[in-house]
Amino acid sequence: MTIPVDRLTDPAVRAFVTALNAQDQAAFQEALTPGATMSDDGSDRDLRDWTEREIFSSRGHMEIESEKGDGLDLVARFRNDTWGEMKTRWRFVVDGGKVARFETGQA
């Protein structure tokens, strides 16, 4: 059972996932604060480089399995053309209605 993206609780997270799944780089950047940061499997990464490699050039897509923490903590099946599909956890920090930081890794 998956949660439709338009039903995600937090509007900033909803905008982030919507843009990611649509492969809309402009909307994705708009969903982030200036200077947003991220980590993958506990290591900080360069956000622009990581999102280009893991999301946009490899057609990344999220199917949300669950959410908690007021919608800031997601478990999703993430897939892309590089790694295939894996169960992942996503944690978000939202500031001013935009994603200031996200942390992802295998669940």
Side-chain angles (χ1 to χ4, degrees):
M1 183 81 167
T2 60
I3 300 171
V5 175
D6 64 355
R7 297 268 175 111
L8 292 175
T9 302
D10 187 273
V13 172
R14 188 168 52 242
F16 176 100
V17 176
T18 298
L20 185 154
N21 285 350
Q23 295 289 293
D24 185 336
Q25 291 184 339
F28 187 84
Q29 290 302 318
E30 183 60 30
L32 302 172
T33 63
T37 61
M38 61 90 48
S39 71
D40 183 8
D41 285 328
S43 297
D44 279 5
R45 307 283 185 200
D46 179 271
L47 187 141
R48 252 185 223 286
D49 177 60
W50 188 91
T51 56
E52 176 57 32
R53 185 179 65 253
E54 300 292 337
I55 297 171
F56 297 112
S57 68
S58 61
R59 298 187 315 133
H61 187 84
M62 294 173 72
E63 288 185 31
I64 311 305
E65 293 185 345
S66 66
E67 68 172 351
K68 60 183 181 182
D70 295 323
L72 299 178
D73 189 356
L74 305 179
V75 173
R77 288 191 315 270
F78 180 78
R79 68 179 179 271
N80 67 23
D81 291 345
T82 303
W83 305 107
E85 184 175 295
M86 65 189 80
K87 190 171 188 172
T88 56
R89 177 171 305 283
W90 298 72
R91 291 187 179 97
F92 295 89
V93 175
V94 173
D95 183 19
K98 296 190 178 203
V99 172
R101 179 171 177 83
F102 67 94
E103 300 172 354
T104 188
Q106 291 195 45

